[in-house]
């Protein structure tokens, strides 16, 4: 995929937005508008930077912006090509469950030597973003048998305790990633390690601030957005952490005798309301991330039903 990032003036932004229809509601923080045009995703940010993403990103940006596009600087991905991590021996780390109301936060670090790359590709690890939960479980149960790794599961009770102490989710992730990486380093011959690659959820400075302990092998440590597609060591960590999350969710369903949906959608709100109705609010908090808005939405659902009776 090609990325083109441009810094435009206000007048140029308005001109661009007059040419095609942009969505301007329910956007992530910091984003002004977004759309899909001729197979290319176009994001306009409050900083007046515009990102074109897709195979024909350069052509589309040229078509819509003309001379502005030719004067722009390429995105960081183009000007600073990512390291070909799959040619090296790496520790990768990733997490699962951070965006899910129900279930734990699971973090994994895994060590993949460059000699294992062909095997992992044969197993289908490089396609991990497209894997369903059944395939995740099947793959993970193979990977844990021969990949040095460390997995930490922060269940909801412990998660909520740390949140009550003022920990942000970023701090929880930084502490757990650092702990997992340290554990893996103790399992391998560190002289053979080329890089440590963290699937980026925060900039290096923020990560270091929250991690509580020093980053091990700081000079070898890299932070990569969409790291799963750049390093199989991260892809493996992603599969194992997701596996742990899926298995934990199955346990919750078994204990509560209810279907527990993943994510944080309206469907989750309804099921949370059912859980309160069947048990109580304390039971809900035992198996969920209390600070998510889903909790208030579930209570609102129950209040409205109560008023309607």
């Amino acid at each position: 995929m090609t990325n083109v990032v441009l810094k435009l003036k206000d007048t140029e932004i308005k001109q661009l937005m007059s040419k095609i229809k942009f969505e301007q509601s329910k956007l992530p923080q910091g984003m002004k508008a977004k759309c899909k045009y001729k197979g290319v995703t176009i994001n306009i940010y409050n900083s007046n930077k515009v990102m074109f993403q897709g195979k024909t990103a350069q052509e589309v940006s040229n078509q819509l912006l003309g001379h502005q596009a030719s004067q722009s600087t390429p995105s960081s991905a183009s000007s600073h090509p990512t390291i070909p991590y799959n040619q090296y021996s790496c520790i990768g780390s990733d997490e699962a469950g951070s965006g899910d109301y129900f279930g734990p936060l699971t973090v994994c670090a895994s060590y993949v030597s460059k000699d294992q790359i062909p095997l992992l590709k044969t197993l289908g690890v490089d396609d991990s973003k497209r894997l369903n939960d059944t395939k995740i479980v099947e793959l993970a149960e193979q990977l844990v048998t021969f990949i040095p790794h460390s997995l930490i599961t922060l269940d909801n009770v412990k998660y909520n305790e740390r949140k009550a102490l003022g920990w942000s989710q970023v701090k929880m992730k930084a502490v757990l990633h650092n702990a997992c990486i340290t554990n893996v380093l103790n399992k391998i011959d560190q002289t053979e390690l080329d890089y440590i690659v963290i699937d980026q959820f925060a900039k290096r400075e923020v990560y270091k601030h929250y991690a509580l302990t020093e980053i091990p092998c700081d000079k070898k440590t890299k932070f990569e957005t969409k790291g799963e597609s750049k390093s199989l060591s991260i892809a493996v960590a992603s599969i194992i952490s997701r596996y742990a999350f899926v298995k934990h969710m199955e346990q919750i369903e078994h204990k509560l005798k209810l279907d527990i949906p993943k994510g944080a959608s309206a469907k989750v709100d309804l099921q949370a309301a059912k859980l309160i109705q069947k048990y109580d609010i304390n039971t809900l908090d035992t198996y969920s991330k209390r600070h998510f808005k889903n909790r208030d939405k579930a209570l609102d659902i129950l209040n409205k039903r109560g008023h309607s009776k």
Side-chain angles (χ1 to χ4, degrees):
M1 180 181 287
T2 302
N3 293 340
V4 175
V5 179
L6 315 172
K7 177 77 171 180
L8 301 182
K9 298 174 183 176
D10 288 335
T11 53
E12 293 168 339
I13 295 283
K14 287 178 183 177
Q15 187 179 5
L16 171 61
M17 293 182 69
S18 69
K19 292 181 179 179
I20 51 178
K21 186 176 180 180
F22 280 84
E23 183 181 334
Q24 293 180 266
S25 61
K26 297 180 180 178
L27 299 174
Q29 188 174 358
M31 187 179 288
K32 184 183 293 184
K34 70 175 182 178
C35 77
K36 191 92 170 181
Y37 178 73
K38 293 186 176 181
V40 173
T41 300
I42 306 173
N43 295 330
I44 301 176
Y45 297 94
N46 293 336
S47 62
N48 276 18
K49 285 186 178 179
V50 181
M51 177 181 286
F52 295 79
Q53 292 178 295
K55 289 183 179 179
T56 58
Q58 189 66 63
E59 290 86 343
V60 168
S61 63
N62 286 340
Q63 176 194 335
L64 293 173
L65 299 171
H67 72 281
Q68 292 104 318
S70 63
Q71 293 172 354
S72 71
T73 56
S75 71
S76 59
S78 301
S79 56
H80 303 287
T82 186
I83 296 165
Y85 294 109
N86 292 338
Q87 295 177 20
Y88 298 96
S89 296
C90 302
I91 290 174
S93 67
D94 201 359
E95 77 282 332
S98 62
D100 297 85
Y101 174 56
F102 286 109
L105 175 63
T106 58
V107 179
C108 180
S110 64
Y111 172 70
V112 173
S113 71
K114 56 188 176 184
D115 298 332
Q116 292 172 318
I117 298 297
L119 171 60
L120 295 179
K121 287 185 176 180
T122 301
L123 290 174
V125 174
D126 54 340
D127 296 324
S128 55
K129 281 196 286 188
R130 295 191 288 270
L131 299 176
N132 59 32
D133 286 346
T134 302
K135 186 64 177 176
I136 287 282
V137 170
E138 177 189 322
L139 258 179
E141 290 180 346
Q142 296 176 66
L143 295 170
V144 296
T145 63
F146 67 92
I147 295 289
H149 69 281
S150 173
L151 171 70
I152 298 177
T153 298
L154 188 68
D155 66 29
N156 293 106
V157 172
K158 292 176 182 175
Y159 180 102
N160 291 331
E161 285 174 355
R162 280 154 181 76
K163 191 67 182 168
L165 291 171
W167 286 37
S168 66
Q169 197 181 80
V170 171
K171 181 171 183 176
M172 294 183 212
K173 289 182 185 180
V175 170
L176 295 178
H177 275 256
N178 229 35
C180 286
I181 290 166
T182 300
N183 291 342
V184 174
L185 282 168
N186 291 331
K187 296 180 180 182
I188 67 171
D189 180 354
Q190 296 185 28
T191 62
E192 296 180 358
L193 177 69
D194 295 307
Y195 293 105
I196 296 171
V197 200
I198 298 171
D199 193 54
Q200 184 171 315
F201 55 88
K203 291 184 178 180
R204 178 185 289 268
E205 297 76 20
V206 176
Y207 181 99
K208 291 179 79 168
H209 173 72
Y210 283 124
L212 296 184
T213 56
E214 292 295 319
I215 296 180
C217 305
D218 196 353
K219 291 182 180 179
K220 291 184 178 182
T221 299
K222 307 294 180 182
F223 293 79
E224 292 283 355
T225 55
K226 298 181 180 178
E228 188 179 339
S229 63
K230 299 173 183 176
S231 169
L232 285 181
S233 63
I234 291 181
V236 169
S238 173
I239 289 170
I240 297 174
S241 59
R242 184 68 184 176
Y243 165 77
F245 176 78
V246 168
K247 299 305 283 186
H248 201 99
M249 289 288 278
E250 289 175 359
Q251 291 172 14
I252 293 174
E253 288 186 327
H254 180 71
K255 287 179 183 176
L256 299 177
K257 296 179 173 56
L258 277 175
D259 290 333
I260 304 296
K262 300 178 181 69
S265 65
K267 182 181 178 181
V268 173
D269 304 337
L270 288 170
Q271 207 63 353
K274 285 183 183 178
L275 199 156
I276 298 170
Q277 225 169 10
K278 184 174 180 178
Y279 298 99
D280 52 37
I281 188 69
N282 291 330
T283 302
L284 175 67
D285 291 341
T286 300
Y287 299 103
S288 64
K289 300 175 181 72
R290 183 170 177 163
H291 66 102
F292 274 42
K293 292 180 180 178
N294 303 86
R295 186 180 193 269
D296 291 334
K297 290 177 181 177
L299 290 170
D300 286 342
I301 290 169
L302 290 177
N303 288 335
K304 287 175 184 175
R305 287 176 181 173
H307 292 314
S308 65
K309 289 181 181 178

